[in-house]
Amino acid sequence: MVKRFPRGAEHVVALDGIDLAVAAGESVAVVGPSGSGKSTLLHLAGGLDVPDAGTVRVDGRDLAGLAVAERARLRRRDVGFVFQFFHLLPSLTVAENVELPLLLDRSARAARGAVAGALQRVGVAHRAGHLPGELSGGEMQRAAIARALVARPRLVLADEPTGNLDSATGRAVLDLLGEVVREAGTALVMVTHDEAAAARSDRVVRLLDGRLVDGAARVGDAAGVGDAAGVGDAAGVGDAAGVGDAAGADVAAGPAPAAGRG
């Protein structure tokens, strides 16, 4: 997978031939210095942008082949986002923030039931009626995790989820995030500068100058990150095809891992 951005008369290569596969229920940390392409990788995996070469697949669907409205629907239903600064709407209660991804797809009654369950699972049910400004940093990130998982997505993308938390709270949040994605069989891709946070993931991959330099394949997999096909159906960030495909990635997917190709 390749992504370039214009800069004057030139083009900056943000990602240069990335292949990554992530299995359902697996957590993968992406580490690297600023400017290495980590955020671009998350944007492409979540369908916020499309690659210039290669493909990204979520649950077998090529994101570049979807209309804008279809990509937005996929993000609501199949991709959850967790951010460093939480991005909870300050005028909405915790429960209302968590409910937002469901409102366009479910009845109010079904949404309320899912929200209550998600808040209970992350340990902030007692804060459901509070505004975000009344919560601690750890509570806000727990609420953000509930929002990311309430629609039962196939893929969760976390951008520095502990970057705004103290070390003890950060460890607790990472433990919770790992537990809930394993329980749900959801693929997790987490970008972080924190080596200790990365080490808590099932696998660590490293980006440098838009290229993967370490952590390509899982032990026993036919191919994880690199220029090969994936294994199974899970989640791949990169270029496109799943198991049996010539090359590709299933960014977030189903029962067994998939592959990414760039």
Side-chain angles (χ1 to χ4, degrees), residues 19 139 155 260:
D19 291 287
E139 288 173 330
L155 173 66

Side-chain angles (χ1 to χ4, degrees), residues 25-31 161-162 167-179 181-182 188 190 192 194-204 206:
E26 183 188 21
S27 60
V28 174
V30 181
V31 299
T162 63
S167 58
T169 302
R171 288 193 297 271
V173 164
L174 289 175
D175 287 343
L176 173 65
L177 187 57
E179 289 171 10
V181 298
R182 281 192 295 272
L188 169 65
M190 176 180 68
T192 183
D194 186 339
E195 291 285 349
R200 301 172 84 87
S201 299
D202 298 326
R203 182 159 52 106
V204 179
R206 299 181 187 278

Side-chain angles (χ1 to χ4, degrees), residues 76-234:
R76 288 198 307 270
R77 297 178 178 179
D78 293 325
V79 182
F81 294 88
V82 180
F83 304 98
Q84 176 177 353
F85 296 105
F86 321 127
H87 292 310
L88 300 173
L89 297 181
S91 61
L92 299 183
T93 67
V94 168
E96 289 167 342
N97 269 283
V98 174
E99 185 181 25
L100 281 177
L102 303 177
L103 291 180
L104 296 179
D105 294 318
R106 300 188 183 187
S107 70
R109 177 175 296 180
R112 283 194 295 270
V115 168
L119 290 175
Q120 183 68 39
R121 177 62 190 87
V122 301
V124 290
H126 62 297
R127 293 295 210 173
H130 290 252
L131 296 175
E134 300 172 322
L135 276 59
S136 69
E139 288 173 330
M140 283 193 283
Q141 195 60 293
R142 286 172 180 268
I145 291 171
R147 181 185 57 193
L149 293 168
V150 70
R152 298 183 180 275
R154 309 304 297 273
L155 173 66
V156 170
L157 302 172
D159 191 358
E160 299 282 2
T162 63
N164 205 34
L165 303 174
D166 64 76
S167 58
T169 302
R171 288 193 297 271
V173 164
L174 289 175
D175 287 343
L176 173 65
L177 187 57
E179 289 171 10
V180 294
V181 298
R182 281 192 295 272
E183 289 171 5
T186 300
L188 169 65
V189 178
M190 176 180 68
V191 159
T192 183
H193 286 92
D194 186 339
E195 291 285 349
R200 301 172 84 87
S201 299
D202 298 326
R203 182 159 52 106
V204 179
V205 299
R206 299 181 187 278
L207 271 176
L208 182 64
D209 297 331
R211 295 185 177 186
L212 284 168
V213 295
D214 189 21
R218 293 187 306 279
V219 175
D221 281 351
V225 179
D227 196 17
V231 187
D233 184 11

